[in-house]
Amino acid sequence: MNMNLNTDVRMRHKLHGRRVLSDIELLQVVLNYRGNRKFELSDLQKLMNRFDGRLDEFSRYEPQELIVESDLGESQALLLDAVWELANRKWAFKSSKIPIRNSQDAKKIFSHLLVDLNHEEFYVAYLNRANKIIETPCISRGGVSSTVVDVRMLVKKAILLQASNVIVAHNHPSGNLQPSEEDRKLTEQIIKGLAYFDIHLIDHLIYAGNQVLSFSDQGWI
């Protein structure tokens, strides 16, 4: 096994586990595993400096963007993309086991899905009577400013899953946390569509960077 790690990183990882390693050192472990080149810690520090030292900013970049804007090759860029997604799915599994009691619980459902995107996506959490998640599909992907949501399909899915409650969420890549007029109209359409079948929309969340707006907390639902 050739991991091209310096002795200090290797020993600390062996003795104390992954938690003791810095972000840069963890990147070195990932990128140097059986790689065709050796990334020194200084190389990775320069790479992180491009993103102000923030992993959340780093993870927003698509593989092809990383290849163009950094020294990473295709295999390293794809490997990092897989690492980000594995981390997302870990939190997705944990959140699916928690009953939704308030907006803070609701925000946890989607944060791993929406905070790092450069385009807009729209998700729906279908909940059972105990307010536990049945399914959380993405029903629309769009550009940097909008998505198209089919309310009829959203309601049909709720009926098929025998959902009692629904939470919807989407992101604003622009960073503007406030809902647009289209967001408000869509929310009303979803409320009315679900109400025919005695299903309730209990929140609509908007993610913008690290901020989240809850329609429920604002008294709009």
Side-chain angles (χ1 to χ4, degrees):
M1 181 184 295
N2 176 21
M3 294 183 67
N4 290 327
L5 298 179
N6 66 47
T7 303
D8 177 60
V9 172
R10 188 190 299 273
M11 288 302 299
R12 286 192 298 113
H13 183 267
K14 183 176 181 179
L15 291 172
H16 304 292
R18 65 193 184 198
R19 302 271 179 182
V20 303
L21 301 183
S22 68
D23 292 349
I24 304 297
E25 289 166 338
L26 286 169
L27 283 172
Q28 188 186 41
V29 171
V30 171
L31 293 175
N32 283 5
Y33 183 75
R34 294 190 184 277
N36 295 322
R37 57 168 295 180
K38 181 178 179 180
F39 288 91
E40 300 290 350
L41 291 177
S42 57
D43 298 326
L44 295 172
Q45 183 63 65
K46 292 177 182 177
L47 177 61
M48 283 295 290
N49 288 344
R50 292 173 178 263
F51 310 102
D52 297 324
R54 293 175 52 183
L55 286 175
D56 60 328
E57 289 296 323
F58 196 169
S59 65
R60 289 170 62 90
Y61 277 65
E62 300 290 340
Q64 291 304 315
E65 292 178 301
L66 285 177
I67 293 168
V68 171
E69 298 191 25
S70 72
D71 295 328
L72 296 181
E74 182 178 8
S75 60
Q76 285 86 16
L78 290 174
L79 179 59
L80 274 180
D81 203 44
V83 169
W84 306 140
E85 184 56 25
L86 280 172
N88 282 345
R89 295 185 186 189
K90 170 189 173 182
W91 291 112
F93 176 80
K94 293 184 75 170
S95 66
S96 68
K97 304 300 177 183
I98 302 172
I100 308 304
R101 296 159 298 188
N102 50 50
S103 64
Q104 293 306 310
D105 291 338
K107 291 172 184 177
K108 295 175 184 177
I109 302 172
F110 306 100
S111 60
H112 60 282
L113 298 168
L114 291 171
V115 295
D116 292 333
L117 295 178
N118 292 319
H119 60 278
E120 193 166 305
E121 293 189 355
F122 195 100
Y123 282 82
V124 183
Y126 296 100
L127 310 178
N128 62 20
R129 290 188 180 276
N131 268 4
K132 290 186 177 181
I133 297 171
I134 304 170
E135 196 172 310
T136 315
C138 176
I139 65 168
S140 180
R141 289 183 171 89
V144 297
S145 61
S146 65
T147 59
V148 177
V149 176
D150 189 330
V151 176
R152 291 172 299 177
M153 294 302 296
L154 185 157
V155 173
K156 180 179 179 180
K157 184 83 169 178
I159 297 168
L160 291 174
L161 292 174
Q162 298 183 328
S164 295
N165 295 306
V166 168
I167 301 171
V168 298
H170 75 284
N171 63 309
H172 284 175
S174 66
N176 180 7
L177 191 62
Q178 295 305 308
S180 65
E181 186 60 32
E182 289 76 13
D183 293 335
R184 293 178 182 274
K185 289 179 179 179
L186 176 61
T187 304
E188 290 300 320
Q189 291 171 357
I190 295 172
I191 290 172
K192 291 177 181 178
L194 291 171
Y196 283 114
F197 304 95
D198 197 27
I199 303 170
H200 307 285
L201 180 70
I202 59 176
D203 212 343
H204 184 169
L205 303 171
I206 296 177
Y207 291 74
N210 293 319
Q211 300 181 86
V212 189
L213 180 141
S214 161
F215 274 54
S216 178
D217 286 352
Q218 297 297 322
W220 298 336
I221 291 180

